[in-house]
Amino acid sequence: MKSLVLSAALAASFTGQVLASHIVVAIESSVRTLNPHNASITLDMSVAGAAYEGLFTFNNKMEVVPNLATGYKVSDDGKIYTINLNKGIKFHDGTDFNAAAVKYNFEHEIKHKLRRASLLSNVAEFNVLADDTLEVVLKEPSNNFINSITHPSQGMISPTALEKYGEDIQKNPVGTGRFVFDKWVRGSTVSFKANPDYWRGPVKVDGIEFRTVAEAGSQLAMLQSGQAQFIANVAPAMKKVIAANPKIENVQVPTIIGRWYSLNTKNDIFANEKVRHAMNYAFHKEAFAKVVYNGDAAPLKSPIPDNLETFAEQPAYTYNLDKARSLLKEAGYPNGFKAVLWAKNNTLSLRSAEFLQQQLAAIDVELEIIPRDTASHYAAGDTLKDDPSRPVIFDAGWSSSSGTADWALRPIYGTGGGSNYSLYSNDKIDSLLKEGQLVQDPAQKEKIYHQIQTLAWQDAPVIFTTVDYRTIGKSRKLTGIEFLPDGSISVGDVALVN
């Protein structure tokens, strides 16, 4: 057995006086569920993460560090993982955290086919070896299993609470984290109180609240006035305002968040590869990054962001209206066509949608924008498969919150992938995706994922747009909350410091 035991510092030091307070994080979209195992968007997992902890977690470099687990061993054949756990931890309801609880969580997720169960699809069985030791036997060797269970969806839920609440666990979170659930006002706020018995020691604030504020200007006003201490997305025009205020600051974070517009490939129009190529050539990605994101983005150069493992740059879809028009003519649409663009109703998504609408109008593609709140947007996306004939363009994006190329590609380009809003299917890609999870040789793994990127880029089931650079705004007194490269908000040892 090869052994890999990870270590991490669990304490943070502060130079100033720590002030107990209630922290407000302004978020741009409403929360859909507080069950991380069944969440479809990173924001929901982030909010739930105030109450839940996973066996491992990512630091701000997307490196795996221990959390509820202390480390793990992996067999030479890559099929057996032995995970060691911290002792003496209890869930908020008093239930013991132990190997049996971890086994229950993972098996419950698989049994009920929850949204993130695919992260566990390679597991054959879970065996409790001791209260603090869980053995995981895989069906096939894996090069990414620990990354998969470090995904922010894999927070540990009290088995007692799962039995008590059933599906209603989504609005009654019970974890081991720093914060205990208080209340959820739908479409408005999710509030948590400090956990008085937190296993790492006293929590330094009274509570934390995630408040939905869709309009960017309102978020800024809250930050300036002290009504909020953290906003997760600073609109470009607001950076100078924040920089001029000595009490608050901008923090820019490079990300692995890719963005695109999914094209419903089951619709007759978008089933035509020439149409899909035409739309990519008609979209000016550099102008989009500059105008919509004010430079806080860069054009995607592959189906995955350039700072993710196995990235392979592809030949650019250079802005070329003549080529786009020629391709549409060849496809049988010399006078363009009409389609609908499903977007979110927050400031950035609407600006992005209007930009795309104007761009495609130049090749006589007429778009009707249909905005929805974030939860309704993704719920509508889930209905596409029920009536795939609709000419829908879907505002989409993805972050590989496991830090792997597999999770950057499989949910988007794999047949039946949970976020495959293009309804795209390619047998060769499906085969390579399976092979890519099993191979142990790094060079062979890179070769496989390069092939997948090339095939997906050539097929273009989406309009490739940008990868984010995210600027967050925060109080200079606030510590312990970070925006990670995967787009998640990490709630750690939160404090306000003089």
Side-chain angles (χ1 to χ4, degrees), residues 149-381:
I149 62 171
T150 306
H151 189 281
S153 66
Q154 298 306 299
M156 291 292 107
I157 304 174
S158 163
T160 304
L162 278 168
E163 290 284 352
K164 175 181 178 181
Y165 292 113
E167 289 187 7
D168 280 347
I169 195 69
Q170 64 93 21
K171 56 184 179 182
N172 294 283
V174 182
T176 61
R178 282 182 174 82
F179 296 96
V180 178
F181 177 65
D182 182 19
K183 61 182 178 180
W184 180 7
V185 180
R186 292 277 183 165
S188 178
T189 60
V190 183
S191 300
F192 300 86
K193 298 180 292 187
N195 178 1
D197 302 311
Y198 184 54
W199 62 281
R200 281 190 169 114
V203 179
K204 298 181 177 112
V205 296
D206 299 328
I208 188 167
E209 174 185 318
F210 296 85
R211 189 177 302 173
T212 302
V213 183
E215 207 279 312
S218 298
Q219 289 193 17
L220 175 63
M222 290 176 64
L223 185 66
Q224 286 185 297
S225 66
Q227 295 178 67
Q229 288 71 46
F230 187 99
I231 61 176
N233 193 9
V234 175
M238 298 177 182
K239 292 180 187 177
K240 290 183 180 180
V241 178
I242 291 176
N245 187 328
K247 295 183 179 180
I248 56 181
E249 63 180 332
N250 295 303
V251 179
Q252 189 181 65
V253 182
T255 81
I256 53 172
I257 304 171
R259 298 194 183 276
W260 47 81
Y261 286 97
S262 294
L263 304 171
N264 178 9
T265 59
K266 299 303 181 186
N267 168 260
D268 288 343
I269 299 172
F270 298 135
N272 193 312
E273 183 180 284
K274 291 181 178 180
V275 170
R276 303 196 301 267
H277 284 175
M279 299 182 77
N280 272 281
Y281 282 114
F283 186 77
H284 200 313
K285 297 162 183 62
E286 290 78 9
F288 180 75
K290 183 177 180 180
V291 172
V292 175
Y293 284 87
N294 198 32
D296 266 2
L300 268 177
K301 298 178 180 179
S302 175
I304 67 175
D306 54 8
N307 55 352
L308 200 63
E309 63 165 8
T310 76
F311 166 79
E313 185 170 347
Q314 305 297 317
Y317 286 103
T318 306
Y319 182 63
N320 189 329
L321 288 179
D322 289 339
K323 188 166 188 174
R325 293 188 186 102
S326 177
L327 284 166
L328 278 188
K329 184 177 181 180
E330 291 176 26
Y333 301 97
N335 300 314
F337 54 85
K338 294 181 179 181
V340 292
L341 171 57
W342 291 0
K344 290 163 281 189
N345 64 358
N346 62 62
T347 302
L348 185 61
S349 183
L350 288 174
R351 288 178 62 197
S352 302
E354 289 165 0
F355 185 94
L356 179 64
Q357 184 184 51
Q358 292 170 5
Q359 292 273 285
L360 296 187
I363 57 170
D364 298 319
V365 174
E366 182 182 333
L367 296 186
E368 176 192 359
I369 299 173
I370 300 178
R372 298 180 174 92
D373 67 83
T374 299
S376 299
H377 175 71
Y378 286 103

